[in-house]
Amino acid sequence: MAQPVNEELRDEEDALRPALAPVASISRREAVLAQIRRGIVVGALRPGDKLTELSLAADLQVSRATVREALGQLAQEGLVVAEPYRGLRVADLDAAALRDLARTRVALDLLAARAVLDDTTGRRLGAVRLAWAAFESSAFDDDPVVRHEGHLAFHRAIWSAADNVVLDQLWPVIQAHMTIALAQDQAVRHDPERSHRLHRDLMDALGSGLEVRVETTFREHTIASVDELIALRDPTDQHEKNVRTPA
């Protein structure tokens, strides 16, 4: 009996998905964490994918106990979620959650950015400039994980420069949600030039010292990017939003 066309297409897509690589024997737990995070970033593990100790242990060639420890940490970080009767899955963000994340990020990003602007010594801005230089060195790397980590590190540096203890404590939660959102973005568009341009705009705005410019640029950076992602991922959602919000 012939295989249905949709199943054939699914098999072809699965064959093209990046595979998880076996990990080295040294620091197995950390290596497993790194491989699963990498899998999420590059699309080997997609939002909503079910995760089992048995299959991951086989793919990564480690013990189930090591995988269990790693999944427990990833669940605490928010990259993995436990669902009743369904087990563990890669976290997913629907359109509403993406917009919630964007609004939250803007508020916290601006809190950090204002602290950078308020520093008359220039020390905080100097720390962000160093992070920008590191971002530029990774922005066009062939490895999507290197680009992803550079992206997160730049935003993390803005928060760190604020010297705000609460922001430091909140960062791991935001980072996990950003990782899922960026993985979704990576799946629908691959545009390092765009990413570099948008982050250069952030750096230029901070360098200007103008609070109005900083606020406008940070809002556009996050809100517009999420709206574009939702439109690319789910055109129906964007159409419904436009209908509800007449010009």
Side-chain angles (χ1 to χ4, degrees), residues 84-165:
Y85 310 110
R86 299 183 66 187
L88 291 170
R89 293 182 179 274
V90 178
D92 196 3
L93 296 174
D94 60 16
L98 285 169
R99 292 190 178 105
D100 285 345
L101 172 62
R103 286 190 289 266
T104 302
R105 275 192 57 199
V106 166
L108 297 176
D109 282 346
L110 288 176
L111 177 64
R114 291 185 185 109
V116 172
L117 296 182
D118 289 343
D119 175 29
T120 58
T121 70
R123 177 183 61 82
R124 292 174 177 173
L125 181 60
V128 177
R129 289 192 188 281
L130 288 175
W132 167 247
F135 174 88
E136 283 205 295
S137 70
S138 65
F140 300 100
D141 196 280
D142 292 335
D143 189 340
V145 176
V146 172
R147 297 196 303 271
H148 172 78
E149 291 176 347
H151 185 160
L152 291 178
F154 177 66
H155 285 280
R156 175 73 177 92
I158 297 173
W159 285 33
S160 293
D163 294 327
N164 185 310
V165 174

Side-chain angles (χ1 to χ4, degrees), residues 178-234:
M178 285 181 66
T179 293
I180 298 299
L182 291 172
Q184 293 182 6
D185 193 277
Q186 174 71 19
V188 296
R189 61 181 166 192
H190 171 68
D191 192 352
E193 288 281 357
R194 172 185 173 278
S195 177
H196 180 266
R197 182 182 70 254
L198 292 176
H199 289 85
R200 183 185 60 216
D201 289 345
L202 293 182
M203 189 67 251
D204 289 347
L206 285 170
S208 74
L210 301 174
E211 185 171 345
V212 172
R213 180 178 174 184
V214 166
E215 181 170 345
T216 299
T217 305
F218 272 75
R219 288 188 184 280
E220 290 179 351
H221 174 88
T222 304
I223 301 296
S225 292
V226 163
D227 284 342
E228 290 172 7
L229 171 58
I230 292 170
L232 288 168
R233 195 187 67 169
D234 186 1

Side-chain angles (χ1 to χ4, degrees), residues 36 46 48-53 56 67-76 79-91:
I36 296 176
R46 296 174 179 171
D49 276 359
K50 185 175 182 179
L51 302 174
T52 66
E53 293 176 9
L56 286 172
V67 171
R68 189 179 306 122
E69 289 181 12
L71 289 176
Q73 178 166 332
L74 292 170
Q76 290 181 348
L79 286 175
V80 170
V81 294
E83 299 179 343
Y85 310 110
R86 299 183 66 187
L88 291 170
R89 293 182 179 274
V90 178

